[in-house]
Every structure is written in structure tokens, then in C-alpha cells.
Amino acid sequence: MTGRCQNEPPSTGNRNLPLKTPKGTRDYGPGAMALRQRLLDQVVRVFRKHGAVPLDTPVFERKELLAGRYGEEAKLIYELQEQGGEPLALRYDLTVPFARYVALHNLSSMKRYQLAKVYRRDNPQPARGRLREFYQCDFDIAGAYDPMLPDAECVKVVCEVLHQLDIRAFVVKINHRKLLDALLQVCGVSAEMFRTICSSIDKLDKMPWDAVREELILQKGLQVETVEQIGMYVTLHGGLELVDRLADDAKLNCLPGAKEALDELRLLFQYCALFQVADRLSVDLSLARGLDYYTGVIYEAVLVGGDNDDEGTQAALVGSVAGGGRYDNLVGTFNPHRKQLVPCVGVSIGMERLFCIMEARSREEPRTNDTQVYVASVHKGLHLKRLEILNRLWAADISAEHSYKTNPKLLDQLQHCEQYRIPYAVIIGDGELARGVVKLRNVATRQEEAVELEMLIEKVSSQLLNGP
């Protein structure tokens, strides 16, 4: 007789299957998830403080909807294998789905936030928080409003989020797509080359000018004289004084787009000064943000290191932690017959990159549960009484748990409380129950007091509210 032995598990056909996550992804254990959730909660509080409402969209969209929105970045879109239906792709960001939502529901205004995973077929760099699956936290304002009022609030939101996360050493680089286009026009670049040249210029935060210069000449085909003129502009950075200096540039003055952009940048500085964040702004003419849909002000929050050497090193690795800008035409591309445009501006917070900073900064494992009370027993045969008390605590909306053994050792139960930092333990024993009392133990101080069983819920509630 042949075949498997009776107790042999069925073969999976993958006996040597490597146990690892797909490239560019990672698992987040309880400690990491506790830290991530704390960060996400802090970000949401800022978004809600500014009046934003939550939104969720599908994790995949119709492929044709995403096509043509991201310029050269489109090669990073994850396309899904067609299963007999319409061609689909995983969402690349949260901005295009939001614009699709506004167009689909024929909205004229909306202030929304969204926290969700996005997917990019990129070359992962985990140490820099650069993954293929990662969270974005977006804040957007859609609607026709007066210039720079929504834009300034987006900058304020970025600064508030970073302050809320206790990240102090950062700068918000700003530029304007119309100014960038005007600079390229002044330098003799044809309009059809603007976007591809911008994608090279945008690499100046990662590459020296000499490397970008070589790419513009050898790969993009620009003349050396043109590239040298571009270099004179895109290596400039500064504050409001740079805006004034560019306004005096005779070549730029001839272009309406440049004048409009400089006026808007000056207004942005004024509003950000009232929001007390103007000192964070730095005009950086190399900032291009390669996505095709930006039409006006663009910005990017960059960590610059701090007094702490470890954080400075991590900041250098992570770099940009937030970015966004104005995209006035994106909604209209989904609904070309609509008479009125829906201008938009928004910002995206890179949660994975911030998480790298927080994880490196954390000196101890964060608490991973919300249990407030542990119900412990001293003697055998008390598990039914434990369940009764446990149910009363739950009914009072108190987070509680107990051992899943009918007769656990008291020392094991108390060690569990200390290991998971559960603040209080209710200890029951035959003698105490005969007198109608239980012991309430402060796990941190190990102090105990007798509490009447009928008053337990009231006493625990008071302790949790007011502390010991």
C-alpha cells in the first residue's frame, strides 16, 4: 500500500518557500503599530482642527483614469492583471482619486482629508522610508477662492503636523510652476520640453548640479548654453528677498506668468507671516515636483537635521516628509463639459518617512494594548467569578482582560500586568469574596486596597479618571 502516512500533513508543494514579505513592503508588529496609530491620530487631529472631513476611495482605479496624470512617474504605476473586466491599476497617490471623486459627484467645493495606502513600483529604500506600499495622509481644499488663502493654510497644516510630532528642524521649500515655466522659456527651452526638463531639475535635492547638468545635455539634448542659463536660476534659494530680486529681472518681467507667480509668492509670504510660519519658507527654484497636474504654488517640507546627531543622520536619510501644491485643472480633465473649473490645492504627508524618524527616536517599546484592568485570582476554582467581574467591567465600558487558564498562578498574572503595563489589577480570593470585597492593586506601585465588590466599578472608574 502506498501513499502518505495517516498523520503526515498534506503537501503544499512549497516546502522551501521563503518566509518574507514582498520587496518594498514590511510587517508592522504590535509595537510598531501602536507607534504608527499614535502618529496617525495626531495627524488627524490637525486635519480636523482645520475643518476637513474624512474621505475614502477604492484602492484601485480604472487604468485609463490614472493614465496621463503623472508624467514620467507613470512608469511606477502598478497595473493589475485583467480578470475579464475593465483594466485596473493600484492607486499611485490620493490626489487623482480625490479629483475624480469631486468630478463624479459634481462638487464645487470640499475640504477633505484621507489616510490610506498607495502603491508605487519604485526602487525601495527602507532606511529612507521609501517603500512600494506606504501610507499617505492628504489634506486638500477644493473650490474657487481668493488667491493664496487656501495655499497658506496648507503650509500651516504641514507645519502644525510636524510640530505636533515634535519635529522642529525642517524647512518648507516653495516654488511656482508658472515661474518655473517662465524661467525655462527665458533660457530658450521649448514649451513641449518643460515637463521632461522639470523632472531632471527636481533631482537637485538628491544629485549635485554637475550630474543634473550632464543629464540635461546628454539625455535631454539641451545645448550647453541653455543648460548654463538654467543653472544660474535653479541653484538660487532664499526668502522674500529672492522674490523681490526675481521681480527685478528684466527678462522675467516680460512674461505675464512670471509676474503672476511672483505676486502670488509674495502674498503667500504675507499670509504665512500672519500664521507665524513664514520663517519656515524658503524659495527654491530647483523644486519642480514632477507630477504633471501641478499648476501653481508647489511646496515640499524637508528635514534639515537637528542638535541630536542620530536625528540629524536620520533626517539626512529621509529628506522630504511632505509635499503638495496647487492643481487647478485636474478635476476638469475628468469632466471636460463642466463650465466651471474646480481649483484645488493640497498637501500630502509622507507617514512612512516620519515613522522612520519616530521609530529611531523611540527609546522604549510603546505600550501595545489599551487594557485598563486585569482580573486575577488567587485560588483554584475562581474562573467563573473572574468572568462575572470581567463582564461587569466590560458593561461599564472599562477595558479589561484575564487569564485564559482556569487556574493560573498569581505570580504569572501579576507579571503579565507588569509586562503589558496594565495600570490596575482586581485580585479575588476566597477569603475576600466571603467578606464581599476584592483587592484593587496599582500595578506600578504595587499598593493594594480592599474595595467592596458592589463599589468596584465606581472605584475603578474614579481611579482611571483621577489617577491614584
Side-chain angles (χ1 to χ4, degrees):
M1 182 175 179
T2 60
R4 277 197 317 269
C5 295
Q6 185 174 358
N7 295 326
E8 182 182 342
S11 173
T12 63
N14 293 294
R15 291 185 181 275
N16 298 318
L17 184 69
L19 288 176
K20 62 180 183 178
T21 61
K23 184 180 180 180
T25 66
R26 59 166 287 188
D27 289 324
Y28 295 89
M33 281 304 300
L35 179 58
R36 282 170 65 85
Q37 192 58 53
R38 191 180 76 199
L39 301 186
L40 291 171
D41 290 345
Q42 290 174 304
V43 173
V44 168
R45 278 197 294 271
V46 174
F47 290 168
R48 294 183 67 86
K49 182 172 70 173
H50 285 263
V53 297
L55 179 69
D56 193 24
T57 56
V59 71
F60 48 83
E61 297 275 358
R62 289 168 34 239
K63 187 171 71 173
E64 63 180 310
L65 182 140
L66 301 181
R69 316 291 178 187
Y70 301 107
E72 294 186 3
E73 302 294 317
K75 63 181 181 292
L76 303 181
I77 294 175
Y78 268 110
E79 297 182 6
L80 300 180
Q81 184 175 352
E82 188 174 349
Q83 300 288 334
E86 55 191 350
L88 303 172
L90 294 177
R91 62 188 172 202
Y92 178 89
D93 65 4
L94 302 179
T95 305
V96 171
F98 170 60
R100 188 265 305 154
Y101 177 88
V102 172
L104 177 64
H105 295 275
N106 202 31
L107 302 177
S108 59
S109 64
M110 185 180 191
K111 185 190 292 186
R112 81 86 162 88
Y113 72 88
Q114 184 174 358
L115 284 67
K117 288 183 176 180
V118 298
Y119 301 85
R120 297 184 183 180
R121 198 163 46 85
D122 205 348
N123 182 30
Q125 297 173 306
R128 302 184 61 172
R130 194 181 187 98
L131 301 172
R132 289 180 166 182
E133 176 192 60
F134 56 96
Y135 261 99
Q136 282 190 339
C137 306
D138 279 25
F139 175 93
D140 290 81
I141 303 173
Y145 302 110
D146 287 334
M148 294 300 102
L149 288 171
D151 310 67
E153 186 164 2
C154 287
V155 173
K156 175 67 172 177
V157 164
V158 171
C159 295
E160 283 191 6
V161 166
L162 296 180
H163 277 110
Q164 187 72 27
L165 301 180
D166 199 29
I167 293 176
R168 305 293 176 177
F170 68 92
V171 63
V172 180
K173 297 180 179 181
I174 62 171
N175 200 358
H176 200 295
R177 288 306 289 255
K178 291 182 180 179
L179 176 60
L180 194 55
D181 289 350
L183 296 179
L184 295 178
Q185 184 178 344
V186 164
C187 294
V189 178
S190 60
E192 60 270 16
M193 291 283 289
F194 282 178
R195 293 299 172 255
T196 186
I197 300 305
C198 284
S199 69
S200 296
I201 292 172
D202 201 40
K203 297 176 183 178
L204 278 171
D205 63 335
K206 309 177 189 71
M207 298 164 50
W209 165 245
D210 287 344
V212 173
R213 177 182 181 277
E214 184 176 349
E215 179 177 311
L216 291 174
I217 295 171
L218 299 181
Q219 296 182 28
K220 301 299 172 72
L222 293 184
Q223 297 296 318
V224 174
E225 296 78 8
T226 300
V227 174
E228 296 301 338
Q229 290 185 62
I230 292 173
M232 292 173 57
Y233 284 112
V234 299
T235 53
L236 296 175
H237 55 84
L240 186 57
E241 76 285 348
L242 178 57
V243 176
D244 294 334
R245 176 180 164 189
L246 292 171
D248 292 334
D249 188 309
K251 295 180 180 178
L252 289 176
N253 268 331
C254 299
L255 302 174
K259 184 180 185 307
E260 179 186 350
L262 292 169
D263 288 344
E264 289 188 348
L265 288 174
R266 191 176 287 109
L267 193 58
L268 181 66
F269 268 97
Q270 180 184 350
Y271 292 156
C272 285
L274 294 172
F275 286 154
Q276 298 183 327
V277 293
D279 60 326
R280 295 289 185 180
L281 299 182
S282 174
V283 178
D284 188 330
L285 298 185
S286 71
L287 179 63
R289 297 200 59 80
L291 303 181
D292 274 5
Y293 50 66
Y294 287 119
T295 59
V297 166
I298 50 179
Y299 36 81
E300 189 169 84
V302 179
L303 304 186
V304 294
D307 297 332
N308 183 297
D309 289 340
D310 291 339
E311 286 192 21
T313 301
Q314 193 66 31
L317 281 173
V318 171
S320 171
V321 294
R326 175 158 289 280
Y327 52 103
D328 287 346
N329 300 326
L330 186 56
V331 174
T333 63
F334 296 118
N335 191 357
H337 302 296
R338 182 171 179 161
K339 294 181 180 179
Q340 183 183 5
L341 288 177
V342 184
C344 300
V345 63
V347 63
S348 179
I349 311 292
M351 185 49 59
E352 307 304 333
R353 298 185 176 188
L354 290 173
F355 180 72
C356 284
I357 297 291
M358 298 295 104
E359 202 170 30
R361 177 189 293 176
S362 181
R363 296 290 181 249
E364 63 178 22
E365 188 76 10
R367 190 179 173 202
T368 58
N369 67 76
D370 294 325
T371 304
Q372 299 166 309
V373 180
Y374 189 94
V375 183
S377 54
V378 178
H379 309 298
K380 292 182 178 181
L382 291 177
H383 66 284
L384 297 180
K385 193 64 179 179
R386 289 205 317 262
L387 294 177
E388 178 186 323
I389 294 174
L390 194 68
N391 195 54
R392 291 172 61 183
L393 290 166
W394 288 339
D397 202 27
I398 296 172
S399 176
E401 60 175 308
H402 77 132
S403 172
Y404 291 123
K405 294 183 177 180
T406 54
N407 298 309
K409 295 179 180 180
L410 180 60
L411 181 59
D412 292 342
Q413 297 171 85
L414 296 180
Q415 286 179 340
H416 178 91
C417 293
E418 292 183 357
Q419 178 182 353
Y420 291 95
R421 288 182 267 177
I422 300 171
Y424 293 99
V426 173
I427 303 175
I428 61 177
D430 289 333
E432 289 82 6
L433 290 174
R435 302 196 309 271
V437 300
V438 295
K439 289 181 180 179
L440 182 62
R441 178 186 178 96
N442 183 308
V443 174
T445 65
R446 301 187 177 182
Q447 293 180 337
E448 297 178 353
E449 63 175 309
V451 178
E452 292 184 17
L453 187 55
E454 295 304 315
M455 299 297 295
L456 177 63
I457 300 301
E458 183 178 339
K459 179 65 175 179
V460 169
S461 300
S462 175
Q463 292 287 85
L464 291 173
L465 182 63
N466 302 312

